[in-house]
Amino acid sequence: MPVRPIRIYGDPVLRQKSRRVGEIDDTVRCLVEDLRETMKAYNGVGLAANQVGVAQRVLVVDVPIDEQQRASHALINPMISKREGSESGEEGCLSIPGIWEDVTRSQRVHVEALDENGRNVVIEAEGYLARALQHEVDHLDGVLFTDRLSALKRQFLRRSLEALARGELPEGSRPQPGGGGDG
Ligand code: NI
């Protein structure tokens, strides 16, 4: 199962609205496995398929719930069907190395999707898992967490983002296995 390279801010695939998956076949299952491997290798808590260059509505999350448990899901054609509350928390993204900012999101979400075997998945999420799911579903719509910041904050980040788009990664922040981020 290969770890796939992460696409960085400025890559047009990150701005594409990803296509719904029609048939869940071995190609899709292989993509899910690669996403899991890649997320793990980069210490991420979530990864959307377009972050490895595949504009399909597929994502994985692997979020710590407490010291013992993690919530781990592969979701195909996920849909956030209900949102409640509002909460601010820090986010980073494997595709936007070196930038971490507080983002306001819904506190609780209800997500419906299929898993890689075509079974229905329903997730009632709150807190960090809800945040990670919203961050990854945003990716599928071509939306990045920096889009959700205030105009003033975006203005502060403009130069850093432009540098990323030119392929200039901040010192020591090139995403690499063990790096962390996303979600
Ligand atoms: Ni991300």
Side-chain angles (χ1 to χ4, degrees):
M1 300 303 163
V3 170
R4 302 196 193 183
I6 302 278
R7 302 300 181 92
I8 300 297
Y9 187 94
D11 189 317
V13 76
L14 295 173
R15 290 307 194 180
Q16 233 173 295
K17 192 166 163 62
S18 296
R19 298 179 306 277
R20 286 177 63 81
V21 173
E23 191 190 346
I24 299 173
D25 56 13
D26 284 346
T27 310
V28 174
R29 279 185 281 273
C30 180
L31 171 63
V32 164
E33 271 317 297
D34 287 359
L35 286 173
R36 285 199 173 112
E37 289 292 312
T38 306
M39 171 175 63
K40 191 171 287 184
Y42 286 85
N43 270 350
V45 295
L47 193 63
N50 60 344
Q51 291 184 275
V52 299
V54 180
Q56 291 189 15
R57 302 187 80 79
V58 178
L59 65 83
V60 293
V61 289
D62 182 43
V63 174
I65 298 295
D66 55 38
E67 280 174 22
Q68 277 96 41
Q69 298 181 74
R70 301 184 72 87
S72 195
H73 300 281
L75 302 180
I76 295 162
N77 299 337
M79 218 183 65
I80 298 177
S81 49
K82 208 166 121 191
R83 300 172 175 272
E84 278 176 1
S86 168
E87 194 170 56
S88 180
E90 191 176 63
E91 295 184 25
C93 180
L94 293 175
S95 295
I96 312 179
I99 294 178
W100 297 80
E101 293 290 344
D102 282 348
V103 182
T104 302
R105 302 226 186 237
S106 303
Q107 193 181 2
R108 285 176 300 280
V109 292
H110 180 103
V111 178
E112 296 172 42
L114 297 174
D115 69 11
E116 71 268 44
N117 298 307
R119 287 185 295 242
N120 288 313
V121 183
V122 175
I123 304 171
E124 300 282 353
E126 59 177 10
Y128 195 21
L129 177 60
R131 176 169 301 281
L133 287 166
Q134 291 170 83
H135 178 118
E136 302 310 331
V137 170
D138 265 358
H139 272 301
L140 302 183
D141 292 324
V143 175
L144 300 170
F145 82 90
T146 46
D147 302 337
R148 299 216 175 266
L149 302 173
S150 69
L152 186 62
K153 200 66 158 178
R154 284 202 309 276
Q155 186 63 25
F156 275 123
L157 292 174
R158 193 171 58 89
R159 279 165 187 276
S160 309
L161 291 172
E162 284 171 359
L164 281 177
R166 286 194 303 268
E168 298 163 20
L169 298 192
E171 193 68 27
S173 74
R174 178 174 290 278
Q176 52 195 338
D182 234 90

